[in-house]
Amino acid sequence: MAEYQFRATEKKWQAFWEKNQTFSASDDFEKPKYYTLDMFPYPSGAGLHVGHPLGYIASDIVARFKKQQGFNVLHPMGFDSFGLPAEQYAIQTGQHPAITTSENITRYIEQLKNIGFAYDWKREVRTSDPSFYKWTQWIFMQLFNSWYDYHDNKARSISVLTEHFEKTGNQLIKAACDEDTPDFTATDWLHFTEEEKQKILLKYRIAYLSEAVVNWCPAMGTVLSNDEVKDGFSERGGHPVERKKMMQWSMRITAYANRLLEGLNKLDWPEPVKEMQRNWIGKSVGAELDFEVVKNSFDPSLDPSPKEREMPGYMTGDQEIWEALKRFSRENRKDPTEEEDIFWQAVRNKKTGYKFRRQHPIGNYIADFVCLDRKLVIELDGEEHKINKEYDQLRTDYLNSCGFKVLRFWNAEIKKNISHVLDKVIEELRTSPSLSERGAGGEVFTDKNPSLDPSPKERKANDLKIKVFTTRVDTIYGVTFMVLAPEHELVKEITTSEQKEAVEEYVKIAKNRSERERMTEVKRVSGVFTGAYAIHPFSGEKIQVWIGDYVLAGYGTGAVMAVPSDDERDLAFAEHFGLPVKQVVEDGKIINSDFLSGLPIKEAIAKAIEYVEEKGIGKAKVNFRMRDAIFSRQRYWGEPVPVYYKNGIPYLLNEDQLPLELPEVDKYLPTEDGEPPLARAKTWKTEEGYELEKSTMPGWAGSSWYMFRYMDPHNNEEFVAPEKQEYWKNVDLYIGGSEHATGHLLYSRFWTMFLYDMGYLNVDEPFQKMINQGMIQGRSNFIYRVEGKNTYVSKNLKDQYTTQAIHVDVNIVYNDELDIEKFRRWRSENADAEFILEDGKYVCGAEVEKMSKSKHNVVNPDDVIEQYGADTLRLYEMFLGPLEQFKPWNTNGIDGTSKFLKKLWRLFHNEKGDFSLSDEKADKKALKALHLAIQKVEYDIEHFSFNTSVSTFMICVNTLTELKCNNREILTDLMRVIAPYAPHICEELWQLAGNSGSISDAGWPKFNPEFIKENEFTYPVSVNGKHRDNMTFSFDTPKEEIEKAVLENPKIQKWIEDKPVKKFIFVPNKIVNVVV
RNA sequence: GCCGGGAUGGUGAAAUUGGUAGACACGCAAGACUUAAAAUCUUGUGAGGGCAACCUCGUGCGGGUUCAAGUCCCGCUCCUGGCACCA
């Protein structure tokens, strides 16, 4: 019998498809379209391994299925061909990266064609091709020429912005711009020089030049991305990496933060990927507050000695914060608690014979009540004192150190028996000496004393403000200190001379601390007191300002208001340095917080923000974690940036000068002065002699828009013709790994939104639906060498020897059994190796690892195809399990799919091996088997459950084999169903059956439910939920009859015994359950 | 630490809406064909008990809801991916 000749047949059909352009997408705008896209591959020198095609096979199945269903299918492939490996290879060998890249691509295409993908190869693109990167440069120019308008929430042309500037300056405009953008009026603008204007505009452009902190690798002379840096060293080469400020092109992606976030809701993407993007964008809603700084509060050069200052002369309130304290005491007085009011009524107007003041500032605290003459403070405590004992003790200690005695009463005592409390107070007053008796100055402190107003100098000090961002304003009363990042700009200004040395030392260490150290010492608390104090904007208390490197300069404002009771890191810091902790949240409610007390967290946040805005302390603010994306690379093998410099100001080239092609250079290394490789090109200047930009674009530039280029890949006038883009819109199905979640998938959304804003696209998202594929891991095999000998022992005997496990090439191992002959030939030293076998076999050990050359576990699809054929590989990769699951590659089961194809082939042939089909009317059972398969496969493809389709094919073929079915109608329909998965064999059988043309044009068989209709159903019958028997009934059997039959069934009766039947559960076409 | 995903026979896995757990394969065992091997075909194959009919147990662990749980709820364990001093 004629065996299926897969090698010849597969080559034949691959040639047929190419010759007939079977899979070229037409620009027939009348047809419904379907655009399915694979992740853009980087053509590496290692070629494809079996893990790569997993997603490609899945999308190929969808593409072929959709084509058979009558869609105009766009299924292209191309190459993300700029990139580091080729450049690295060029540095090592001097070979031009264009040559290496082109060779690698040739190999990739060959491998891809071997698998029989239905790509429209006419549309292939390569990002390193000038005809492609011309448009990458063009898009860069549009980004440079645009700014982001927050008012209309879209990008606009820069000319609109300059018009605004001419009319109104930059004050009325809501635009995305650099933090340090100065305010200017229209008149200012008109008086700016051209250069000044350009500098200002750079602060608004979406593609802009600015100083950025980057990972600089001096050894490689280049900047590395975060994921190229591992523990402070370059991933490649392991050179040390330092943080360095450099002029870099950046993309103002932060302007799109909110839209990138909101847009996720309408995308059909895997939830984990969306979640990753949400986390990356990191939106937090909160408030920005200003904390006034008490400058040099402890600085002896400005102040009397701390001792003197704390001495309770005529002045008890801390001078520098007097204004603020005064404000707060007044505020507090307006709104006393019930108990405070009872007490005040009892002591006011010298009722006790002593003058009392309430809510009076002492040092940096406000005492509830104070008798200044007798130096007695009365504090009333509520329940919160129990929680805040520590904090209150600190306060008491401070007051004691100022010479005050502190008496505490419970609120409950006041209410219950005020006269008893008064007795105690009077007793205390009588026994303590008066102020005059103590001999300190006799002046009496009053609110009106003009000498207490802060001096102009001090007032200036108060202008220093520390801005903080918080998502939890509700915990404001729990703020007991502040921490600034060591790099914070105010650190120098506020540090007192006493603390100067310690602070400078700390800043120096923190700055030199590599990322690596910071990572490994996460749990170590470190910090230094600046000596400065800030004023709590709500309570008016003085709190210490510290610096600590757990506060990140790059996030928020680089400063935090520390709430140790509610934040772990703040707590660790407070505990380490003995700073106070004040409880403010209990059981989801705010406590101990003045007017916020008693409110649930959410309401407290709202109320606190309201208060903050009303008092002008701060404002509600939305913060994003995402940073602008650095766009420059100090590399050779990337798109040149179409910019030249005049007096240090960047200007765009003219559009007709595009593409700006990569120059030839003598070496692909940075210059001796650390300039990027492009500086080596002597011609790297404009015609007028201006210097061209020397950095190139990053890998993600080309991949951020390539999906649109496939719609119109050869257009020299536009990046895509509008009518073509309008038809193809965006990608209907993108299959790829989730590892691109926060890179490629975010940047391409950003560019698409931008191009949409500017009217170049009619969609604002590039990928409507995406599904993730799991990675295929390697499965390594091990052999065990007896120590010191050239003898290898089989796995299950190895414990009897001292052995060493060695990776062995998985390609010479079959079902974990080593092919000894091949092993002897694998390496010369193996030729005379000896083996200790078990049951005549050498059994290898196995382990799941990354697929890599060094582990000898790389499986090349070409080898699998050589042995089994492309159809088998395609089926097997799908059969392996759900697409999105991570799984090791293991050829153990591949025989099953291979056998299946042979079985399929045999269906079309008689015993003699001749092709033979019958034209008789189709058998009912065969029709049912076929239509069950049609229904299931349709469902599976639409739900991306490819593994179950393969099972379905097997079941169908098994059934048809059993039925000895060789019916033409049935079998040719079956071919149309299997064709998307195993196209070569199906084309061949389709042709042998007398059809012409490609089966991909033969349509999809229509599912007919009539054929799978049953008229009876076999019920599983259970007693108390336990399956006991099966009984078959026709569909129209009434429930009563079934119940009767079931209860009469002796097998069932046996289980019912004599127990009464409590309930009879009957679910039509599902189950029968008798409850006894 | 935070946020995802997962755990089912010797192996890959299936079970779509809570309704017969293990489909379909691999592997293994026995058998047929053959001088033999390969290929192919047939039968068996979750564990335990039993000559058998059949019974008991069984979807990571411990509880719960339900006539019925791999599937739903609560609490854990382990593996895995991402993020991480993010205020």
Side-chain angles (χ1 to χ4, degrees), chain A residues 942-990:
Chain A
E942 265 144 26
H943 291 81
F944 309 105
S945 171
F946 303 100
N947 54 329
T948 49
S949 283
V950 181
S951 301
T952 304
F953 297 148
M954 289 174 172
I955 293 168
C956 183
V957 167
N958 287 349
T959 313
L960 295 180
T961 304
E962 239 167 81
L963 293 170
K964 297 196 169 23
C965 170
N966 71 339
N967 181 281
R968 177 181 305 275
E969 185 190 334
I970 300 275
L971 292 185
T972 50
D973 268 3
L974 181 63
M975 285 310 91
R976 293 198 282 163
V977 178
I978 302 180
Y981 287 77
H984 307 88
I985 193 171
C986 292
E987 289 276 23
E988 183 68 13
L989 290 169
W990 175 257

Side-chain angles (χ1 to χ4, degrees), chain A residues 500-597:
Chain A
K500 198 173 167 204
E501 209 173 306
V503 167
E504 278 177 0
E505 175 78 359
Y506 184 76
V507 170
K508 207 172 129 195
I509 292 170
K511 268 190 186 159
N512 286 348
R513 243 174 127 195
S514 67
E515 290 280 303
R516 185 202 190 101
E517 283 165 340
R518 287 186 75 154
M519 298 267 273
T520 50
E521 292 169 25
V522 159
K523 292 282 169 280
R524 213 190 77 189
V525 177
S526 74
V528 164
F529 180 42
T530 60
Y533 287 78
I535 302 159
H536 190 292
F538 280 44
S539 71
E541 282 171 13
K542 246 173 82 172
I543 55 176
Q544 299 189 344
V545 180
W546 287 65
I547 57 173
D549 68 1
Y550 82 95
V551 179
L552 305 177
Y555 186 75
T557 60
V560 297
M561 50 176 235
V563 187
S565 59
D566 217 53
D567 182 289
E568 262 180 63
R569 289 153 300 141
D570 293 346
L571 181 64
F573 197 85
E575 280 175 347
H576 192 263
F577 292 109
L579 293 160
V581 178
K582 191 179 163 195
Q583 294 298 330
V584 282
V585 184
E586 198 179 56
D587 302 328
K589 288 217 166 122
I590 304 297
I591 53 164
N592 218 345
S593 297
D594 200 349
F595 70 100
L596 295 175
S597 295

Side-chain angles (χ1 to χ4, degrees), chain A residues 34-41 55-56 58-60 62-63 73-78 119 123 125 703 705-711 730-737 744-745 748 766-767 769-771 773:
Chain A
Y34 194 85
Y35 184 3
T36 164
L37 185 61
D38 294 318
M39 286 273 181
F40 215 19
Y56 298 170
S59 70
D60 198 61
V62 176
V73 173
L74 178 53
H75 185 218
M77 177 50 80
Y119 291 130
R123 291 178 188 254
V125 300
S703 61
W705 73 280
Y706 80 110
M707 51 275 167
F708 295 107
R709 187 61 177 172
Y710 283 131
M711 297 169 182
N730 53 9
V731 177
D732 295 290
L733 177 67
Y734 200 37
I735 297 182
H744 163 59
L745 289 170
S748 41
F767 315 112
K769 178 175 181 64
M770 177 171 54
I771 56 173
Q773 81 190 60

Side-chain angles (χ1 to χ4, degrees), chain A residues 169-184:
Chain A
N170 72 346
Q171 285 311 284
L172 297 171
I173 228 159
K174 281 169 80 183
C177 62
D178 291 1
E179 295 261 312
D180 60 356
T181 309
D183 297 343
F184 56 84

Side-chain angles (χ1 to χ4, degrees), chain A residues 429-564:
Chain A
L429 288 166
R430 208 178 295 144
T431 51
S432 43
S434 87
L435 197 58
S436 45
E437 283 160 3
R438 290 167 206 239
E443 281 161 276
V444 173
F445 171 83
T446 70
D447 287 4
K448 286 169 198 146
N449 192 333
S451 67
L452 292 173
D453 279 345
S455 69
K457 191 168 142 203
E458 284 149 358
R459 205 194 293 278
K460 194 173 171 227
N462 285 354
D463 287 346
L464 279 181
K465 282 174 183 165
I466 299 171
K467 243 185 213 322
V468 299
F469 174 78
T470 175
T471 53
R472 295 290 305 274
V473 222
D474 54 316
T475 62
I476 182 85
Y477 279 96
V479 175
T480 50
F481 59 98
M482 298 187 79
V483 188
L484 307 185
E487 301 93 330
H488 198 283
E489 49 178 8
L490 281 181
V491 170
K492 262 195 183 153
E493 278 190 72
I494 63 171
T495 303
T496 60
S497 49
E498 273 179 344
Q499 292 298 103
K500 198 173 167 204
E501 209 173 306
V503 167
E504 278 177 0
E505 175 78 359
Y506 184 76
V507 170
K508 207 172 129 195
I509 292 170
K511 268 190 186 159
N512 286 348
R513 243 174 127 195
S514 67
E515 290 280 303
R516 185 202 190 101
E517 283 165 340
R518 287 186 75 154
M519 298 267 273
T520 50
E521 292 169 25
V522 159
K523 292 282 169 280
R524 213 190 77 189
V525 177
S526 74
V528 164
F529 180 42
T530 60
Y533 287 78
I535 302 159
H536 190 292
F538 280 44
S539 71
E541 282 171 13
K542 246 173 82 172
I543 55 176
Q544 299 189 344
V545 180
W546 287 65
I547 57 173
D549 68 1
Y550 82 95
V551 179
L552 305 177
Y555 186 75
T557 60
V560 297
M561 50 176 235
V563 187

